[in-house]
Amino acid sequence: MSARLNAFGQPIGPALPDWSPRPRPPRTPMEGRTCRLVPLDAAAHGEALFETYSAAPDTRGWTYLGDEMPKSAAAYRARLETQQTSEDPLFYAILDPARGDALGIASYLRIDPGNGVIEVGHLHFGPRLQRSPAATEAMALMMTRAFDELGYRRYEWKCDSLNAPSRAAALRLGFTFEGIFRNAVVVKGRSRDTAWFSITAAEWPRVRAGFAAWLDPSNFDGEGRQRHGLADLRAASG
């Protein structure tokens, strides 16, 4: 960001003469080729989500989340009934487009329309969704809504600094690491240092081009294996 000088010779940021607060994300679907995201509905999605999380070999996927694996489908549905009414975080279910069953959840949170800042979080992908093209496309769809549809300036990803898979995922998806907030929060009786990542509107076109190239069917062989990695394709896009 290049600095300007004010009347006192002090450096100041670029002017935003046409800036106005951004709309809040709508409760409407986001459609992709390998997945679709819809507003979370406890009655429609609770049973499938409980089944997919129960299919995991253990509960390590809950370690860095704010809650624990529920004891029953009924208990989980009750939790989702609270989440589905929340405006911030605003939760979505990630669906298999062919079968229609829920494979995971994601949300927008810390939504700041006045400054054009929005965060993605509360990500919990079931075994079928993990490390799949649909997982990547779900994140691309949420970024596309934030930047292209709603005009946000900054898109954030935060996680426990000890959560190595989440930090690696952020970098793979095109986020820039910004640092560690020490002793940021208390989670499950533990102190958490939080790692911060972001993508800005200026960076988004390159990130978007990388997603488009990686998600293209031609990037996968007959066994569904990628031909080129996401980071490589993003770099190749300039």
Side-chain angles (χ1 to χ4, degrees), residues 7-24:
F8 305 103
Q10 297 167 307
I12 57 175
L16 299 174
D18 299 321
W19 174 255
S20 61
R22 298 294 84 200
R24 295 185 65 83

Side-chain angles (χ1 to χ4, degrees), residues 183-198:
N183 289 356
V185 292
V186 176
V187 179
K188 297 178 179 176
R190 307 189 303 258
S191 178
R192 188 184 98 167
D193 294 352
T194 298
W196 283 53
F197 301 81
S198 73

Side-chain angles (χ1 to χ4, degrees), residues 73-93:
Y76 189 54
R77 178 170 171 172
R79 184 184 300 173
L80 295 184
E81 287 172 351
T82 298
Q83 293 178 338
Q84 73 181 15
T85 63
S86 171
E87 296 292 336
D88 188 347
L90 178 59
F91 286 92
Y92 297 85

Side-chain angles (χ1 to χ4, degrees), residues 46-166:
E47 183 175 351
L49 286 171
F50 183 76
E51 288 181 359
T52 193
Y53 299 143
S54 298
D58 52 46
T59 59
R60 72 183 62 196
W62 297 84
T63 298
Y64 299 110
L65 298 178
D67 47 22
E68 298 288 2
M69 175 74 182
K71 300 296 185 182
S72 67
Y76 189 54
R77 178 170 171 172
R79 184 184 300 173
L80 295 184
E81 287 172 351
T82 298
Q83 293 178 338
Q84 73 181 15
T85 63
S86 171
E87 296 292 336
D88 188 347
L90 178 59
F91 286 92
Y92 297 85
I94 304 169
L95 308 184
D96 180 318
R99 296 170 48 173
D101 52 332
L103 306 176
I105 61 174
S107 78
Y108 293 122
L109 68 155
R110 301 185 184 275
I111 303 165
D112 183 353
N115 291 305
V117 179
I118 195 166
E119 180 179 343
V120 63
H122 295 285
L123 305 177
H124 195 181
F125 297 170
R128 284 173 50 203
L129 186 58
Q130 294 169 11
R131 303 181 66 85
S132 71
T136 297
E137 186 169 34
M139 296 298 92
L141 289 169
M142 292 185 74
M143 289 187 209
T144 297
R145 171 159 289 181
F147 285 119
D148 292 343
E149 296 180 28
L150 303 177
Y152 278 72
R153 304 174 59 235
R154 173 180 168 87
Y155 193 81
E156 296 180 336
W157 176 295
K158 303 186 186 84
C159 64
D160 190 312
S161 66
L162 300 176
N163 188 349
S166 184

